[in-house]
Coordinates of all heavy atoms in Angstrom, one line a residue:
M921 N -23.5 0.9 29.3 CA -22.1 1.2 28.9 C -22.0 2.7 28.7 O -22.8 3.3 28.1 CB -21.9 0.5 27.5 CG -20.5 0.7 27.0 SD -20.1 -0.1 25.4 CE -20.7 -1.7 25.5
D922 N -20.9 3.2 29.3 CA -20.7 4.7 29.1 C -20.1 5.0 27.7 O -19.7 4.1 27.0 CB -19.6 5.1 30.1 CG -20.1 5.6 31.4 OD1 -21.3 5.9 31.5 OD2 -19.4 5.8 32.3
F923 N -20.1 6.3 27.3 CA -19.6 6.6 26.1 C -18.9 7.9 26.3 O -19.1 8.7 27.2 CB -20.6 6.7 24.9 CG -21.6 7.9 25.1 CD1 -21.2 9.1 24.5 CD2 -22.7 7.7 25.7 CE1 -22.1 10.2 24.6 CE2 -23.6 8.8 25.8 CZ -23.3 10.0 25.2
K924 N -17.9 8.2 25.4 CA -17.1 9.4 25.3 C -17.2 9.9 23.9 O -17.4 9.2 23.0 CB -15.6 9.2 25.7 CG -15.5 8.7 27.1 CD -14.0 8.6 27.5 CE -13.8 8.2 28.9 NZ -14.4 9.1 29.9
T925 N -17.0 11.2 23.8 CA -17.1 11.8 22.5 C -15.7 12.4 22.1 O -15.0 12.9 23.0 CB -18.1 12.9 22.3 OG1 -17.8 14.0 23.3 CG2 -19.5 12.4 22.5
Y926 N -15.3 12.2 20.9 CA -14.0 12.7 20.4 C -14.2 13.3 19.1 O -15.1 13.0 18.3 CB -13.0 11.5 20.2 CG -12.5 11.0 21.6 CD1 -13.3 10.0 22.2 CD2 -11.3 11.4 22.1 CE1 -12.8 9.5 23.4 CE2 -10.9 10.9 23.3 CZ -11.6 9.9 24.0 OH -11.2 9.5 25.2
K927 N -13.3 14.3 18.7 CA -13.3 14.8 17.3 C -12.3 14.1 16.5 O -11.2 13.8 17.0 CB -13.0 16.3 17.4 CG -14.2 17.1 17.9 CD -14.0 18.5 17.6 CE -15.3 19.3 18.1 NZ -15.5 20.5 17.6
I928 N -12.6 13.9 15.2 CA -11.7 13.4 14.3 C -10.7 14.5 13.9 O -11.1 15.5 13.5 CB -12.4 12.8 13.0 CG1 -13.5 11.8 13.3 CG2 -11.4 12.3 12.0 CD1 -12.8 10.5 13.9
G929 N -9.4 14.2 14.1 CA -8.4 15.2 13.8 C -7.8 14.9 12.4 O -8.4 14.1 11.7
E930 N -6.6 15.4 12.2 CA -6.0 15.2 10.9 C -4.5 15.0 11.1 O -3.9 15.6 12.1 CB -6.3 16.3 9.9 CG -5.7 17.7 10.3 CD -6.0 18.8 9.5 OE1 -7.1 18.8 8.9 OE2 -5.1 19.7 9.3
I931 N -3.9 14.2 10.3 CA -2.4 14.1 10.2 C -2.0 14.0 8.8 O -2.9 13.8 7.9 CB -1.9 12.8 11.0 CG1 -2.5 11.5 10.3 CG2 -2.2 12.9 12.5 CD1 -1.9 10.2 10.9
Y932 N -0.7 14.2 8.5 CA -0.2 14.1 7.1 C 0.4 12.7 7.0 O 1.1 12.2 7.8 CB 0.8 15.2 6.8 CG 0.2 16.5 6.7 CD1 0.0 17.3 7.7 CD2 -0.2 16.9 5.4 CE1 -0.5 18.6 7.5 CE2 -0.8 18.2 5.2 CZ -1.0 19.0 6.3 OH -1.5 20.2 6.1
Q933 N 0.0 12.1 5.9 CA 0.5 10.7 5.6 C 0.8 10.7 4.1 O -0.1 10.9 3.3 CB -0.5 9.7 6.0 CG 0.0 8.3 6.4 CD -1.2 7.5 6.9 OE1 -2.2 7.3 6.3 NE2 -1.0 6.9 8.1
N934 N 2.0 10.4 3.8 CA 2.4 10.4 2.4 C 2.0 11.7 1.7 O 1.4 11.7 0.6 CB 1.8 9.2 1.6 CG 2.3 7.9 2.2 OD1 3.5 7.8 2.6 ND2 1.5 6.9 2.2
N935 N 2.2 12.8 2.3 CA 2.0 14.2 1.8 C 0.5 14.4 1.6 O 0.1 15.3 0.8 CB 2.8 14.5 0.5 CG 4.2 14.5 0.7 OD1 4.7 14.9 1.8 ND2 5.0 13.9 -0.2
K936 N -0.4 13.7 2.3 CA -1.8 13.9 2.2 C -2.4 14.0 3.6 O -1.9 13.4 4.5 CB -2.5 12.8 1.4 CG -2.2 12.7 0.0 CD -2.9 11.6 -0.7 CE -2.5 11.5 -2.2 NZ -3.2 10.5 -2.9
V937 N -3.5 14.8 3.7 CA -4.1 14.9 5.0 C -5.1 13.8 5.1 O -5.9 13.5 4.2 CB -4.9 16.3 5.1 CG1 -5.7 16.3 6.4 CG2 -3.9 17.4 5.0
V938 N -5.0 13.0 6.3 CA -5.9 11.9 6.4 C -6.5 12.0 7.9 O -6.0 12.7 8.7 CB -5.2 10.5 6.3 CG1 -4.8 10.3 4.9 CG2 -4.1 10.4 7.3
P939 N -7.7 11.4 8.0 CA -8.3 11.5 9.4 C -7.5 10.8 10.5 O -6.8 9.8 10.2 CB -9.7 10.8 9.2 CG -9.9 10.6 7.7 CD -8.6 10.7 7.1
S940 N -7.6 11.3 11.7 CA -6.8 10.7 12.8 C -7.7 10.7 14.0 O -8.5 11.6 14.3 CB -5.6 11.6 13.1 OG -4.9 11.1 14.2
L941 N -7.6 9.7 14.8 CA -8.3 9.5 16.1 C -7.4 9.0 17.1 O -6.7 8.0 16.9 CB -9.5 8.5 15.9 CG -10.5 8.4 17.0 CD1 -11.1 9.7 17.4 CD2 -11.6 7.4 16.6
R942 N -7.3 9.6 18.3 CA -6.3 9.3 19.3 C -7.1 9.2 20.7 O -7.8 10.1 21.0 CB -5.2 10.3 19.4 CG -4.1 10.0 20.3 CD -3.1 11.0 20.2 NE -2.0 10.7 21.1 CZ -0.8 11.3 21.1 NH1 -0.5 12.2 20.2 NH2 0.1 11.0 22.0
F943 N -6.8 8.1 21.4 CA -7.4 7.9 22.7 C -6.3 8.0 23.7 O -5.2 7.4 23.6 CB -8.0 6.5 22.8 CG -9.2 6.3 21.9 CD1 -9.0 5.4 20.8 CD2 -10.4 7.0 21.9 CE1 -10.0 5.2 19.9 CE2 -11.4 6.8 21.0 CZ -11.2 5.9 20.0
N944 N -6.6 8.6 24.9 CA -5.7 8.6 26.0 C -6.5 9.0 27.3 O -7.5 9.5 27.2 CB -4.5 9.5 25.8 CG -4.9 10.9 25.4 OD1 -5.7 11.5 26.1 ND2 -4.3 11.5 24.4
G945 N -5.9 8.6 28.4 CA -6.5 9.0 29.6 C -6.6 7.8 30.6 O -6.4 6.6 30.3
K946 N -6.9 8.2 31.9 CA -7.0 7.2 33.0 C -8.1 6.1 32.8 O -8.0 5.1 33.2 CB -7.1 7.9 34.3 CG -6.0 8.6 34.8 CD -6.1 9.0 36.3 CE -7.3 9.8 36.5 NZ -7.4 10.4 37.8
W947 N -9.1 6.6 32.0 CA -10.2 5.7 31.8 C -9.8 4.4 31.0 O -10.4 3.4 31.2 CB -11.3 6.4 31.0 CG -11.0 6.9 29.6 CD1 -10.3 8.0 29.3 CD2 -11.2 6.2 28.4 NE1 -10.2 8.1 27.9 CE2 -10.8 7.0 27.4 CE3 -11.9 5.0 28.1 CZ2 -10.8 6.6 26.0 CZ3 -12.0 4.6 26.8 CH2 -11.5 5.4 25.8
L948 N -8.7 4.5 30.2 CA -8.2 3.3 29.5 C -7.7 2.3 30.6 O -7.9 1.1 30.5 CB -7.1 3.6 28.5 CG -7.6 4.4 27.3 CD1 -6.4 4.9 26.5 CD2 -8.5 3.5 26.4
T949 N -6.9 2.8 31.6 CA -6.4 2.0 32.7 C -7.6 1.3 33.5 O -7.6 0.2 33.9 CB -5.5 2.8 33.6 OG1 -4.5 3.4 32.9 CG2 -5.0 2.0 34.8
E950 N -8.6 2.2 33.7 CA -9.8 1.7 34.5 C -10.5 0.6 33.7 O -11.2 -0.2 34.3 CB -10.8 2.9 34.7 CG -10.2 3.9 35.7 CD -11.0 5.2 35.8 OE1 -12.0 5.3 35.0 OE2 -10.5 6.1 36.5
L951 N -10.3 0.6 32.4 CA -10.9 -0.5 31.6 C -9.9 -1.7 31.3 O -10.1 -2.5 30.5 CB -11.4 0.0 30.2 CG -12.5 1.0 30.3 CD1 -12.8 1.6 28.9 CD2 -13.8 0.3 30.8
N952 N -8.8 -1.7 32.1 CA -7.8 -2.7 32.1 C -6.9 -2.7 30.8 O -6.4 -3.8 30.5 CB -8.4 -4.2 32.3 CG -9.0 -4.2 33.7 OD1 -8.4 -3.6 34.7 ND2 -10.1 -4.8 33.9
F953 N -6.8 -1.6 30.1 CA -5.9 -1.5 29.0 C -4.6 -0.9 29.6 O -4.6 0.0 30.4 CB -6.4 -0.6 27.9 CG -7.6 -1.2 27.1 CD1 -8.9 -0.9 27.5 CD2 -7.3 -2.1 26.2 CE1 -9.9 -1.4 26.8 CE2 -8.4 -2.6 25.4 CZ -9.7 -2.3 25.8
T954 N -3.4 -1.5 29.2 CA -2.1 -1.2 29.7 C -1.2 -0.6 28.6 O -1.4 -1.0 27.4 CB -1.4 -2.3 30.4 OG1 -1.3 -3.4 29.5 CG2 -2.3 -2.8 31.6
I955 N -0.3 0.1 29.0 CA 0.7 0.7 28.0 C 1.5 -0.4 27.4 O 1.9 -1.4 28.0 CB 1.7 1.7 28.8 CG1 0.9 2.9 29.3 CG2 2.8 2.1 27.8 CD1 1.7 3.7 30.3
G956 N 1.6 -0.4 26.1 CA 2.3 -1.4 25.3 C 1.5 -2.6 24.9 O 2.0 -3.4 24.1
E957 N 0.3 -2.7 25.4 CA -0.6 -3.9 25.1 C -1.1 -3.8 23.7 O -1.4 -2.6 23.2 CB -1.7 -3.9 26.1 CG -2.7 -4.9 26.0 CD -3.7 -4.9 27.1 OE1 -4.2 -3.8 27.5 OE2 -4.1 -6.0 27.6
E958 N -1.2 -4.9 23.0 CA -1.8 -4.8 21.7 C -3.4 -4.9 21.8 O -3.9 -5.6 22.8 CB -1.4 -6.0 20.9 CG 0.1 -5.9 20.6 CD 0.5 -6.7 19.4 OE1 -0.1 -6.6 18.3 OE2 1.5 -7.5 19.6
V959 N -4.1 -4.3 20.9 CA -5.5 -4.3 20.9 C -5.9 -4.7 19.5 O -5.2 -4.6 18.5 CB -6.2 -3.0 21.3 CG1 -5.9 -2.6 22.7 CG2 -5.8 -1.9 20.4
V960 N -7.2 -5.2 19.4 CA -7.8 -5.6 18.1 C -8.8 -4.5 17.8 O -9.6 -4.1 18.6 CB -8.5 -6.9 18.2 CG1 -9.2 -7.3 17.0 CG2 -7.4 -8.0 18.6
V961 N -8.8 -4.0 16.6 CA -9.7 -3.0 16.1 C -10.6 -3.6 15.0 O -10.2 -4.0 14.0 CB -9.0 -1.7 15.6 CG1 -10.0 -0.7 15.1 CG2 -8.0 -1.2 16.6
Y962 N -11.9 -3.7 15.4 CA -12.9 -4.1 14.4 C -13.5 -2.9 13.8 O -13.8 -1.9 14.5 CB -14.0 -5.0 15.0 CG -13.5 -6.3 15.4 CD1 -13.0 -6.6 16.7 CD2 -13.4 -7.4 14.5 CE1 -12.6 -7.8 17.1 CE2 -13.0 -8.6 14.8 CZ -12.6 -8.8 16.2 OH -12.1 -10.1 16.5
Q963 N -13.8 -3.0 12.5 CA -14.5 -1.8 11.9 C -15.7 -2.3 11.0 O -15.7 -3.4 10.5 CB -13.4 -1.1 10.9 CG -12.9 -2.1 9.9 CD -11.7 -1.5 9.2 OE1 -10.9 -0.7 9.8 NE2 -11.5 -1.8 7.9
G964 N -16.7 -1.5 11.1 CA -17.8 -1.6 10.3 C -18.4 -0.3 9.9 O -17.9 0.7 10.2
K965 N -19.5 -0.4 9.1 CA -20.1 0.8 8.7 C -20.4 1.7 9.9 O -21.2 1.4 10.7 CB -21.3 0.6 7.8 CG -21.9 1.8 7.2 CD -23.0 1.5 6.2 CE -23.7 2.7 5.7 NZ -23.2 3.1 4.4
N966 N -19.9 2.9 10.0 CA -20.1 3.9 11.0 C -19.8 3.3 12.4 O -20.4 3.8 13.4 CB -21.5 4.4 11.0 CG -21.9 5.1 9.7 OD1 -21.1 5.9 9.2 ND2 -23.1 4.8 9.2
M967 N -18.8 2.4 12.5 CA -18.5 1.8 13.8 C -17.1 1.4 13.9 O -16.5 0.9 12.9 CB -19.4 0.6 14.0 CG -19.2 -0.1 15.3 SD -19.9 -1.8 15.4 CE -18.8 -2.7 14.4
I968 N -16.5 1.6 15.1 CA -15.2 1.1 15.4 C -15.2 0.5 16.8 O -15.7 1.1 17.7 CB -14.1 2.2 15.4 CG1 -14.0 2.9 14.1 CG2 -12.7 1.7 15.9 CD1 -13.1 4.2 14.1
L969 N -14.8 -0.7 16.9 CA -14.8 -1.5 18.1 C -13.3 -1.9 18.5 O -12.7 -2.5 17.7 CB -15.6 -2.7 18.1 CG -15.6 -3.7 19.3 CD1 -16.3 -3.0 20.5 CD2 -16.3 -5.0 18.9
I970 N -12.9 -1.4 19.7 CA -11.6 -1.7 20.2 C -11.7 -2.7 21.4 O -12.4 -2.4 22.3 CB -10.8 -0.5 20.6 CG1 -10.8 0.5 19.4 CG2 -9.4 -0.8 21.1 CD1 -10.3 1.9 19.8
T971 N -10.9 -3.8 21.3 CA -11.0 -4.8 22.3 C -9.7 -5.4 22.5 O -8.8 -5.4 21.7 CB -12.1 -5.8 22.0 OG1 -12.2 -6.7 23.1 CG2 -11.8 -6.6 20.8
K972 N -9.5 -6.2 23.6 CA -8.3 -7.0 23.8 C -8.5 -8.2 23.0 O -9.6 -8.7 22.8 CB -8.2 -7.4 25.3 CG -7.9 -6.2 26.2 CD -7.6 -6.7 27.6 CE -7.2 -5.5 28.5 NZ -6.4 -5.9 29.6
P973 N -7.3 -8.7 22.5 CA -7.5 -10.0 21.7 C -7.8 -11.2 22.4 O -7.4 -11.4 23.5 CB -6.1 -10.1 21.0 CG -5.1 -9.3 21.9 CD -6.0 -8.3 22.6
N974 N -8.7 -12.0 21.8 CA -9.1 -13.3 22.4 C -8.0 -14.3 22.0 O -7.0 -14.0 21.4 CB -10.5 -13.8 22.0 CG -10.6 -14.0 20.5 OD1 -9.6 -14.4 19.8 ND2 -11.8 -13.7 20.0
E975 N -8.1 -15.6 22.5 CA -7.1 -16.6 22.2 C -6.8 -16.7 20.7 O -5.6 -16.8 20.3 CB -7.6 -17.9 22.8 CG -7.4 -18.0 24.2 CD -6.0 -18.1 24.8 OE1 -5.1 -18.7 24.1 OE2 -5.7 -17.5 25.8
R976 N -7.8 -16.8 19.9 CA -7.6 -17.0 18.4 C -6.9 -15.8 17.9 O -5.9 -15.9 17.1 CB -9.0 -17.2 17.8 CG -8.9 -17.4 16.3 CD -10.2 -17.5 15.6 NE -11.0 -16.3 15.7 CZ -10.9 -15.3 14.9 NH1 -10.0 -15.3 13.9 NH2 -11.6 -14.2 15.0
E977 N -7.3 -14.6 18.3 CA -6.6 -13.4 17.8 C -5.2 -13.3 18.3 O -4.3 -12.9 17.5 CB -7.4 -12.2 18.2 CG -8.8 -12.1 17.5 CD -9.8 -11.2 18.3 OE1 -9.6 -10.9 19.5 OE2 -10.7 -10.7 17.6
Q978 N -4.9 -13.7 19.5 CA -3.5 -13.7 20.0 C -2.7 -14.6 19.2 O -1.5 -14.3 18.9 CB -3.5 -14.2 21.5 CG -4.1 -13.1 22.4 CD -4.1 -13.6 23.8 OE1 -3.8 -14.8 24.1 NE2 -4.5 -12.7 24.8
Q979 N -3.2 -15.8 18.8 CA -2.5 -16.7 17.9 C -2.1 -16.1 16.6 O -1.0 -16.1 16.1 CB -3.2 -18.0 17.8 CG -2.5 -19.0 16.9 CD -1.2 -19.5 17.5 OE1 -1.0 -19.6 18.7 NE2 -0.2 -19.8 16.7
I980 N -3.1 -15.4 16.0 CA -3.0 -14.7 14.7 C -1.9 -13.6 14.8 O -1.0 -13.5 14.0 CB -4.3 -14.1 14.2 CG1 -5.2 -15.3 13.7 CG2 -4.0 -13.2 13.0 CD1 -6.6 -14.8 13.5
I981 N -1.9 -12.9 15.9 CA -0.9 -11.8 16.1 C 0.5 -12.4 16.3 O 1.4 -11.9 15.7 CB -1.3 -11.0 17.4 CG1 -2.6 -10.2 17.2 CG2 -0.1 -10.1 17.9 CD1 -3.2 -9.6 18.5
R982 N 0.6 -13.5 17.0 CA 1.9 -14.2 17.1 C 2.5 -14.7 15.8 O 3.6 -14.5 15.4 CB 1.9 -15.4 18.1 CG 1.8 -14.9 19.6 CD 1.9 -16.1 20.5 NE 0.9 -17.1 20.5 CZ -0.2 -17.0 21.2 NH1 -0.4 -16.0 22.1 NH2 -1.2 -17.9 21.1
E983 N 1.5 -15.2 15.0 CA 1.9 -15.8 13.7 C 2.4 -14.6 12.8 O 3.4 -14.7 12.0 CB 0.8 -16.5 13.0 CG 0.5 -17.9 13.7 CD -0.7 -18.5 13.2 OE1 -1.4 -18.1 12.2 OE2 -1.1 -19.6 13.8
K984 N 1.7 -13.5 12.8 CA 2.0 -12.3 12.0 C 3.4 -11.8 12.4 O 4.2 -11.4 11.5 CB 0.9 -11.3 12.0 CG -0.3 -11.6 11.2 CD -1.2 -10.4 11.3 CE -2.5 -10.8 10.4 NZ -3.4 -9.7 10.3
K985 N 3.7 -11.8 13.7 CA 5.0 -11.3 14.2 C 6.1 -12.2 13.7 O 7.1 -11.7 13.3 CB 5.0 -11.3 15.7 CG 4.3 -10.0 16.3 CD 4.4 -10.0 17.8 CE 3.7 -8.8 18.4 NZ 3.8 -8.7 19.8
K986 N 5.8 -13.5 13.7 CA 6.8 -14.4 13.3 C 7.1 -14.3 11.8 O 8.2 -14.3 11.4 CB 6.4 -15.9 13.6 CG 6.5 -16.3 15.0 CD 6.1 -17.7 15.2 CE 6.1 -18.1 16.6 NZ 5.6 -19.5 16.9
E987 N 6.0 -14.1 11.0 CA 6.2 -13.8 9.6 C 7.0 -12.6 9.3 O 7.9 -12.6 8.4 CB 4.8 -13.7 8.9 CG 4.1 -15.0 8.8 CD 2.6 -14.8 8.2 OE1 2.3 -13.8 7.8 OE2 1.9 -15.8 8.3
K988 N 6.7 -11.5 10.0 CA 7.4 -10.3 9.8 C 8.9 -10.5 10.2 O 9.8 -10.0 9.5 CB 6.8 -9.2 10.8 CG 7.4 -7.8 10.6 CD 6.7 -6.8 11.4 CE 7.3 -5.4 11.2 NZ 6.7 -4.4 12.1
E989 N 9.2 -11.1 11.3 CA 10.6 -11.3 11.7 C 11.3 -12.2 10.7 O 12.5 -11.9 10.4 CB 10.6 -12.1 13.1 CG 10.2 -11.2 14.3 CD 10.0 -11.9 15.6 OE1 10.1 -13.2 15.6 OE2 9.6 -11.3 16.5
L990 N 10.6 -13.2 10.1 CA 11.3 -14.1 9.1 C 11.6 -13.2 7.9 O 12.7 -13.4 7.3 CB 10.3 -15.2 8.8 CG 10.9 -16.2 7.8 CD1 12.2 -16.9 8.3 CD2 9.9 -17.3 7.5
K991 N 10.7 -12.4 7.4 CA 10.9 -11.5 6.3 C 12.1 -10.6 6.5 O 13.0 -10.4 5.7 CB 9.7 -10.6 6.0 CG 8.6 -11.4 5.2 CD 7.5 -10.4 4.9 CE 6.3 -11.2 4.2 NZ 5.2 -10.3 4.0
Q992 N 12.2 -10.0 7.7 CA 13.3 -9.1 8.1 C 14.7 -9.9 8.1 O 15.7 -9.4 7.6 CB 13.1 -8.5 9.5 CG 12.0 -7.4 9.5 CD 11.7 -6.9 10.9 OE1 12.1 -7.6 11.9 NE2 11.0 -5.8 11.0
L993 N 14.7 -11.1 8.6 CA 15.8 -11.9 8.6 C 16.3 -12.3 7.2 O 17.4 -12.3 6.9 CB 15.5 -13.3 9.4 CG 16.7 -14.2 9.6 CD1 17.9 -13.5 10.3 CD2 16.3 -15.4 10.4
K994 N 15.3 -12.6 6.3 CA 15.6 -12.9 4.9 C 16.2 -11.7 4.2 O 17.2 -11.9 3.4 CB 14.4 -13.4 4.2 CG 14.0 -14.8 4.5 CD 12.7 -15.2 3.8 CE 12.3 -16.6 4.0 NZ 11.1 -17.0 3.3
R995 N 15.8 -10.6 4.5 CA 16.3 -9.3 3.9 C 17.8 -9.2 4.4 O 18.7 -8.8 3.5 CB 15.5 -8.1 4.2 CG 14.3 -7.8 3.3 CD 13.7 -6.4 3.5 NE 12.3 -6.7 3.5 CZ 11.5 -6.4 4.5 NH1 11.9 -5.9 5.6 NH2 10.2 -6.6 4.4
K996 N 18.0 -9.4 5.7 CA 19.3 -9.2 6.2 C 20.3 -10.3 5.5 O 21.4 -9.9 5.2 CB 19.3 -9.4 7.7 CG 18.8 -8.2 8.4 CD 18.9 -8.4 9.9 CE 18.3 -7.2 10.7 NZ 18.4 -7.4 12.1
M997 N 19.8 -11.4 5.4 CA 20.6 -12.5 4.8 C 20.9 -12.2 3.4 O 22.1 -12.4 2.9 CB 19.9 -13.9 4.9 CG 19.7 -14.4 6.3 SD 21.2 -14.8 7.1 CE 21.5 -16.4 6.3
K998 N 20.0 -11.6 2.6 CA 20.2 -11.2 1.2 C 21.3 -10.2 1.1 O 22.1 -10.1 0.1 CB 18.9 -10.7 0.5 CG 18.1 -11.7 -0.1 CD 17.0 -11.1 -0.9 CE 16.2 -12.1 -1.7 NZ 15.1 -11.5 -2.4
S999 N 21.3 -9.3 2.1 CA 22.3 -8.2 2.0 C 23.7 -8.5 2.3 O 24.6 -7.8 2.1 CB 21.8 -7.0 2.8 OG 21.9 -7.4 4.2
L1000 N 23.9 -9.8 2.9 CA 25.2 -10.2 3.2 C 26.0 -10.6 2.1 O 25.7 -11.1 1.1 CB 25.2 -11.3 4.3 CG 24.6 -10.9 5.6 CD1 24.6 -12.1 6.6 CD2 25.5 -9.8 6.3

């Protein structure tokens, strides 16, 4: 497995500086990642793993989207 090195950058979030990491390049296309596609990020001690979602994860993503849409709809209904 190949590896690439990146530096941790910084961004401002809620008026505080926090670490930032950004990936881009043709190599993502070569690994079959496409623009707009959702990915799953696993985290562990000193480790980040980025992968495409499997069937179970895809179902969880769909459920979370439905929950978010339902909350937004409820907020809109309350404001009427």
Side-chain angles (χ1 to χ4, degrees):
M921 183 184 308
D922 267 348
F923 72 90
K924 297 187 177 300
T925 60
Y926 289 84
K927 286 195 178 201
I928 302 293
E930 63 182 37
I931 61 170
Y932 285 90
Q933 209 171 53
N934 298 324
N935 295 323
K936 293 183 181 181
V937 176
V938 295
S940 173
L941 187 57
R942 184 175 179 168
F943 300 109
N944 54 48
K946 290 190 306 186
W947 64 276
L948 291 167
T949 303
E950 292 166 2
L951 293 172
N952 295 320
F953 289 96
T954 57
I955 295 169
E957 180 177 39
E958 295 201 51
V959 295
V960 177
V961 179
Y962 288 96
Q963 58 194 31
K965 186 174 175 101
N966 299 318
M967 179 192 77
I968 299 171
L969 173 66
I970 302 170
T971 183
K972 291 186 175 201
N974 61 33
E975 284 291 323
R976 182 183 65 83
E977 292 160 339
Q978 287 175 357
Q979 181 62 34
I980 292 168
I981 290 167
R982 284 191 293 271
E983 288 171 6
K984 285 184 178 185
K985 281 184 180 178
K986 285 180 184 177
E987 288 173 13
K988 184 177 179 180
E989 290 170 359
L990 184 59
K991 282 182 183 180
Q992 290 173 344
L993 184 59
K994 285 180 179 179
R995 273 192 225 119
K996 285 183 182 179
M997 295 293 284
K998 268 187 174 180
S999 67
L1000 294 178

